[in-house]
Structure formats: structure tokens, C-alpha cells
Amino acid sequence: MIIDRRSFVATGVLGYGAFSIPGFASAAIVSDLRGFTHSVASGEPGSDSVLLWTRYVPAGGGEATLRVELSETADFARIAGGGVQQTGPWRDHTAKVTVGGLRGGRDYHYRFVAPDGSFSPVGRTRTLPDDAKAWRAAVFSCSNLGFGMFNAYAHAAARDDFDCAIHLGDYLYEYGPGKYPLAKDAMAAREPLPAHEIVALADYRLRYASYRADPDLQALHRRLPMIVQWDDHESANDSWEGGAENHDPATEGSWNARRDAAMQAYREWMPVSDEPWKAYDIGRLATLFRTETRLLGRTRQPDIAPLFKQADPAAALKAFHDGAWMDPSATMMGTQQEAWLAQTMRASVKGGRAWQVIGFGTIMGDTKMPADAATWLGGSSDRARDYIESGIAAAKVGLPFAYDNWGGYPAARARFLRSAQAVGGSTVVISGDSHNAWAYDLAQDGKPAAVEFAGQGVTSPGYEAGVSADPKTVAASLVRANAELKWCDTSRRGYMALTIAADRVTNDWIMLDTIKQRNLGVTIGHRATVMRGRNVMV
């Protein structure tokens, strides 16, 4: 039997003790709340503009017109900019106002003003610089509320050295109770609403309301502008343009209707513009690219499970490797976005920007299952054993073990890396999805093309959940088996701290001491650096 990675990592997570979170309870998100229900947030920073978000429900539950004010001082003695927006039930009472005419590289305090004169909580945001010696971002992915505390968000919000936050997807999860996490692994008082899998627009809206009630997530949004993009769980597991692994049309209706509901709720609740992809110029330092690799252009992921039911699985795997796996029509982004990304990267290089930093939802690095991975299992479940053994068999014919990431789209990966080589810049890929931490030197046609920093999950469990081996043994085995992989950690949660300077980009993997209770203890699990023009780590 072949299973997906998420089923694999769901099988072995230790149970957590019960606890309570001040300010986080079902009363915080039920429909009778009025006023500013979910604090404030900001996003889409530019050198002269920023998008500001809030949610406000008036006493009568109808429409309202909100004002927003920005100031460079906390007392709002001098208003530096603002705007107005009408909101109401047609957009779940959320409001997003883009304010222009700002100064680059500046901190701004902001607040919303309701028709009755009441104020929202005060947030702080920051515009992108016109020029800077360095720029720092906290990079997150895979934050499943049920698995544990959002200590990664709290830690980043408490620091004073970040210019921005970046979220690469799986900001929330779509499952109902007992699915992921399993009931035995779910933390008390961390069960999101609604108490079933989310399918309809009302479901997605309530799930966002539930997640956004978390005080640590609210603190991060109040403190930093966030550049966000979705991955699969904002809609359904392993989603693509025409469906998802976790969508059954027979019982859950039209995929298009579910996808549209997920996209609408996301755009209502997140501090993001409606543009599906976008480039952000960070002074002369870099261009950061927000991409879309799930719902608008992605073709269906390969599935190698049927190959193991054939008379000669090894021959079937070899035929797949030489044939269907290399299909040039398979795409993560679609031709329009591929062309846009290549053209905009070229413009960034010609404009003199030192770095091109691309955010992808899933890992690009070539990763095969080590031949000795069976020794990781011990008393692991049958599902974990099947996952490892099928991965070993695939590796024998040169195939990766994951196909929902770029491993399922080798021709599209080659197109991107060749375009990065052709523009002659310095390319850094940042990615999420796997729940684990990875550092890759990406190559194409035998030549360096980019480096990849892939982040561990905020709470979602990694390989430690499905295997019994020492995590250091697992990591060492993976590095030995994969030429592009230079380092990994498959057992700890946290976030990445990315620093861009003119001559180098440095990434720290910030590892939490725990997610089982509120605790902001961390260590730097690893630090990697790439020098400009090298496209390999030093």
C-alpha cells in the first residue's frame, strides 16, 4: 500500500496534556460578537503603501463604514495617511484598505475608527525600504491549531529586528475533529470551529475566525506586515486546479464551488490583495516574489500507488520515470505565471537588485528515500512502513518519494531553474509544506542554479511522528542519499529568520523548545549563507 506523506506523519505524534489559553475560547468567535472582533493586521507592503485589515460587526449586524488612520507616532498626534471602506455581511464584515503616500522604510502605527467613534486595537506596520543595508523577515508555514501552541508566532512578535513576516501557506487546516490531528493527539482547548471539515463558504469563514482568535497570531499580525500565499490546506489537502485528495465530489459537491469558497474566505480574512501573484522590490537589495502553485494552474499530481499493483512494480516504476513523470505539460504554476516570473526576475536583475527571492508553497530540492530508511521504523505503523518501503523502491529507479511538491513536476522544475540561470542573478527559494527543515543547493544541467531554504512547521509534525529512529540518524541518512540536500532537521518546529544583505543572504532555522505549552524558549538549529553570484551555500 502507498500512502501520502501527511498520513505518514499523522501516525505517531505523542499526545499532549490539556491546557487553557487566556482569550482563546469558542466565545471569542461565535456569531454574536460585535465591534472589532479580531484585532488588526497589515500586508502587501510597498515603499510608499501598505494594506491594512480589520473586522468590525456593528450592533445591528449590518453594514458599516470604517476609517483607518496611520501615524509615525504611537499617540497619533499627526495623521500621515488613511482611508475608508464600507463593509458588511457580504464580506464577512472584514475590511481591507490600501493606504498610499507613505515613506519608505518607516514604521507606522495604525488604527481603525468605527461609526460610533470606537477604535480598534493599534497595530504597527512597516513599509519596504527605498534603500537599505539589510532586510529581515520571519518566515512561517504549516500552522495546525490542534497540534500545539503558536509559540513561533509569539517569539517572532516579541522580537524587534524583523521588517516583515512571510507565510508560505497552510496558515490553517481544513480537517474536522479526529482527522488531523487524530483525537489522541489534539490539544485540549485548541479545537477549531466548525466542528466538522470545512467545505462551504460559511465553514471557511468560521475556521479563519477560529484561528484568528489565537492571541499569538493576533500579536504577530499587529506587530508586522505579512506577505502571504496559500498552499493546499487553505482549500483541501493536495489540491490542484481540478480537485484535491481530500475532496469527494459524491459527498462534498462541486470542487469548483469549494475552491471558490476557500479563495473568497482567504481574500476576506487575510491581509492580501486579490492579485494571484506579485513581486515586491526591497530597495536595491532584492525582489521578493509571491507565487501561486495550487489552485489556478497546477495540473494533477502523479500517483505511483497503482504501479505497485502491477505484475512487475520495478519495471512499472522505471517506465514511469522514463515517460509520464517527465511530461512537459505538467505544471505547478501554469504558463502565464511561469512567463511572468521569468520576465520579472529578468527585470529585477537588469534593475540592479542583488537578489531574487521566490516563495513557493512546496519544496523544490531533489529528495529521494535513503536505501537504509527501513532501519528508521522499529515499531512504527504499517502505514509508515509502506511509505518508507515504497520510497526506497522508487529511489532505485531515480524517483523521489514525494509528488505533491516539485518532485512530481520535474520538467516544470527544470524550466524554472534554467530561467533562473539564464537571467544571471542570485536566486534564493524559500518554501514550506513539509513540516521539516531543509537546506538545498539546487542544480540544473550540472550547474548551480539557486539555493533553497525550506522551513519547518509552526506546529504540524514532521518525520519524528512516524519513525522511531534518532532524528540525527534520519537527517544524516537523508543528506548522504541526496546530492542537493546539505542539511535537514526532521523533528523540531519553529520558523525561519531570513536576512538579506547586498553581498549575502543568511537563514537561521529557529527551533522551539516545545509546542506542548506556552514557552518562548528557542535555539538556532542551523545557519546557512549564500554569497551573491554563487548560488551555492558556503
Side-chain angles (χ1 to χ4, degrees):
M1 183 178 83
I2 304 300
I3 65 164
D4 60 73
R5 173 184 56 79
R6 197 154 284 106
S7 298
F8 166 60
V9 300
T11 57
V13 182
L14 297 175
Y16 298 122
F19 67 102
S20 62
I21 310 169
F24 183 87
S26 60
I29 49 179
V30 292
S31 59
D32 61 353
L33 271 182
R34 294 296 182 263
F36 291 102
T37 65
H38 285 78
S39 194
V40 295
S42 66
E44 300 295 351
S47 62
D48 61 355
S49 65
V50 69
L51 181 152
L52 305 174
W53 179 98
T54 196
R55 183 173 188 267
Y56 177 82
V57 184
E63 64 183 74
T65 298
L66 303 178
R67 288 191 298 114
V68 66
E69 301 174 338
L70 286 91
S71 175
E72 291 191 31
T73 59
D75 60 5
F76 289 86
R78 180 179 177 275
I79 302 303
V84 295
Q85 186 180 22
Q86 295 180 12
T87 187
W90 62 87
R91 55 180 302 125
D92 206 14
H93 302 282
T94 61
K96 295 193 295 188
V97 180
T98 297
V99 180
L102 307 178
R103 297 198 287 176
R106 297 298 181 102
D107 287 331
Y108 286 92
H109 303 269
Y110 66 96
R111 64 189 181 189
F112 285 83
V113 187
D116 62 5
S118 62
F119 293 105
S120 71
V122 174
R124 190 166 80 171
T125 191
R126 185 171 180 83
T127 53
L128 296 181
D130 295 311
D131 192 22
K133 292 183 179 179
W135 186 84
R136 301 199 75 195
V139 185
F140 305 94
S141 64
C142 305
S143 40
N144 189 316
L145 189 72
F147 275 112
M149 299 292 293
F150 286 165
N151 292 333
Y153 294 151
H155 186 269
R159 295 175 61 161
D160 200 36
D161 58 346
F162 287 126
D163 299 290
C164 188
I166 299 169
H167 206 293
L168 296 172
D170 297 344
Y171 181 95
L172 54 68
Y173 284 69
E174 82 277 17
Y175 298 110
K179 182 71 178 293
Y180 188 70
L182 301 175
K184 68 182 180 66
D185 303 320
M187 295 189 73
R190 300 288 287 182
E191 300 89 355
L193 297 179
H196 55 78
E197 184 167 320
I198 54 177
V199 176
L201 177 59
D203 301 335
Y204 283 98
R205 284 171 164 173
L206 185 54
R207 187 59 57 89
Y208 277 102
S210 184
Y211 269 67
R212 291 291 294 275
D214 181 89
D216 295 323
L217 180 51
Q218 287 190 5
L220 180 66
H221 275 303
R222 282 195 306 271
R223 177 64 184 84
L224 292 170
M226 185 181 284
I227 295 172
V228 297
Q229 60 191 65
W230 61 53
D231 192 38
D232 53 341
H233 291 291
E234 288 88 349
S235 54
N237 182 55
D238 287 1
S239 52
W240 57 287
E241 183 183 16
E245 177 276 332
N246 189 30
H247 180 76
D248 181 1
T251 59
E252 295 173 323
S254 161
W255 166 248
N256 287 349
R258 183 177 186 177
R259 179 196 61 198
D260 291 349
M263 290 170 61
Q264 178 176 335
Y266 182 89
R267 287 168 171 164
E268 290 170 346
W269 276 87
M270 298 299 287
V272 65
S273 70
D274 291 346
E275 299 155 286
W277 47 79
K278 190 171 181 177
Y280 307 82
D281 288 331
I282 305 168
R284 302 284 290 179
L285 284 177
T287 303
L288 173 67
F289 298 86
R290 167 167 65 85
T291 65
E292 197 290 314
T293 57
R294 275 293 171 188
L295 302 179
L296 303 181
R298 178 196 275 247
T299 52
R300 189 197 298 265
Q301 306 90 332
D303 180 11
I304 65 172
L307 304 182
F308 288 84
K309 298 177 182 179
Q310 296 191 19
D312 187 346
L317 286 168
K318 182 65 167 60
F320 170 72
H321 174 278
D322 296 342
W325 184 55
M326 292 300 299
D327 184 353
S329 70
T331 175
M332 293 276 275
M333 294 188 285
T335 57
Q336 181 184 358
Q337 188 182 181
E338 283 190 14
W340 167 83
L341 184 56
Q343 292 164 2
T344 313
M345 288 178 65
R346 185 176 299 109
S348 175
V349 174
K350 289 184 176 180
R353 290 179 174 84
W355 298 92
Q356 291 69 51
V357 182
I358 298 91
F360 287 131
T362 59
I363 287 176
M364 180 167 282
D366 181 29
T367 320
K368 299 178 179 65
M369 190 68 72
D372 61 353
T375 63
W376 303 348
L377 291 165
S380 299
S381 68
D382 290 341
R383 282 187 171 185
R385 186 171 300 279
D386 288 339
Y387 181 85
I388 295 291
E389 290 178 352
S390 64
I392 293 172
K396 289 179 179 178
V397 298
L399 288 168
F401 59 80
Y403 298 89
D404 184 57
N405 64 20
W406 288 88
Y409 304 80
R413 174 193 137 118
R415 289 195 297 270
F416 167 75
L417 292 177
R418 285 173 181 145
S419 79
Q421 290 170 328
V423 302
S426 296
T427 304
V428 175
V429 170
I430 54 175
S431 58
D433 179 67
S434 78
H435 309 174
N436 300 299
W438 315 80
Y440 296 90
D441 284 338
L442 303 177
Q444 182 61 42
D445 303 322
K447 299 176 183 178
V451 301
E452 179 176 17
F453 303 138
Q456 70 275 38
V458 170
T459 59
S460 301
Y463 274 68
E464 81 282 2
V467 301
S468 58
D470 185 324
K472 293 181 179 178
T473 299
V474 173
S477 180
L478 283 162
V479 171
R480 284 195 303 270
N482 294 284
E484 290 189 342
L485 180 62
K486 304 306 175 184
W487 170 84
C488 67
D489 182 291
T490 62
S491 66
R492 292 181 289 178
R493 313 281 72 78
Y495 68 101
M496 299 192 298
L498 183 76
T499 303
I500 303 174
D503 65 335
R504 70 191 65 199
V505 171
T506 300
N507 192 67
D508 291 340
W509 283 264
I510 308 297
M511 303 298 189
L512 298 166
D513 289 350
T514 184
I515 58 170
K516 299 177 185 179
Q517 60 189 9
R518 181 65 182 273
N519 184 325
L520 301 192
V522 302
T523 57
I524 297 178
H526 186 67
R527 174 173 290 168
T529 298
V530 55
M531 305 302 294
R532 184 179 182 184
R534 293 286 306 278
N535 288 323
V536 293
M537 287 172 280
V538 296

